[in-house]
Amino acid sequence: MLFAARATAFLRVAAVIGFACAMLVLLPASHVVGQGQAGYPSRPITLIVPFAKGGPTDTVARIVSVEMAKTLGQPIVIENVVGAGGTLATRRVAQAAPDGYTLMVGHMGTHAAAVALYPKLGYRPDTDFAPIALLTKMPMLLLARREFPASDFTEFVAYVRGHTHVLNMAHAGVGSVSYASCMLLNHLLGIDPTGVPFNGTAPAMDALVAGEVDYMCDQIVNAVLPLRTNVVRAYVIASSDRDAAVPTVPTAAEAGLPAFQVEAWNALFAPKGTPAPIVEALNAAVVRALDQPDVRGPLIGLGGVVPPADQRTPQALAALVATELQRWGQVLKRSHN
Ligand code: MLT
């Protein structure tokens, strides 16, 4: 009996291994570009998302990583490590082993704005990371609770200027995209609301829908569904053009505040010192993922912008980080005093 059970178990394991090997062999060459890069990857990869599940960063990470995992031939396991506007997780990744098994999705907050907001940040976005590739650009929206007493942006401005000391503004922590964007807005409007921090804009959105906070700035990917179901309001989009996912929302310029311009972005980073063949394998996996209908469809459908080929290189991402560090350094110096 014991022998039979062991033999059956052995056959089952052998069948699973055999099936897995057959699947690997059957994968087209383009699906295993990561293999053969010094054996990388030979085990699952951890992808750190510095905010709560279900928010913009998490959504982008999950959509893109499914296709990347197919290319790399290994699972990509998402770990949400929250706190301090994404900066705790970012510091952890900066200090992780540069072996390609700990990566992160960073963004305009963690890899640009946060530098101007934390005197002791503990990492440098431009020197402590190996940039892999830009994943998306995301228009930003000014959103308010459904019952907010303003039917358009002009009324919003009049109301917030008259009630600045009783207003509260949700955000995903000091240094996050939502925080930095609304700092710019508040500065332009001359208002000083009470900030209410969350571990991401998924819980912040829940609070907005519940009417517990007055307004917030958020990436479009998190706002399209609440807007379609009419549970929150959007007053402006902080871009030069309207977005097809929310076509009735006017641009900030149309609404009379042209200086409210923010383009959020999300990108893949590894710790500095990650070997070039690994960076190349990961970049190739992103590049392929961004061309797949299962990635483009949801990202574009939720209002995101998929970067063109020339913006998907590590060099283009390094240049973006440098430009954004400078821009947000100046913006927040003016806005955060
Ligand atoms: C932010 O920085 O505001 C983030 O995008 C929040 C999130 O991803 O939840």
Side-chain angles (χ1 to χ4, degrees), residues 206-243:
D206 290 345
L208 196 68
V209 170
E212 293 163 1
V213 289
D214 291 315
Y215 72 102
M216 72 170 176
C217 298
D218 201 5
Q219 297 177 50
I220 192 167
V221 65
N222 204 35
V224 167
L225 297 180
L227 285 170
R228 287 203 185 131
T229 48
N230 209 22
V231 291
V232 296
R233 288 168 177 272
Y235 291 113
V236 290
I237 186 162
S239 312
S240 47
D241 297 307
R242 293 190 182 206
D243 194 292

Side-chain angles (χ1 to χ4, degrees), residues 51-52 55-58 107 172 176-179 199-202 218-219 266:
F51 296 98
T57 319
D58 186 70
H107 66 9
S176 63
V177 166
S178 44
Y179 180 86
N199 281 333
T201 54
D218 201 5
Q219 297 177 50
N266 298 278

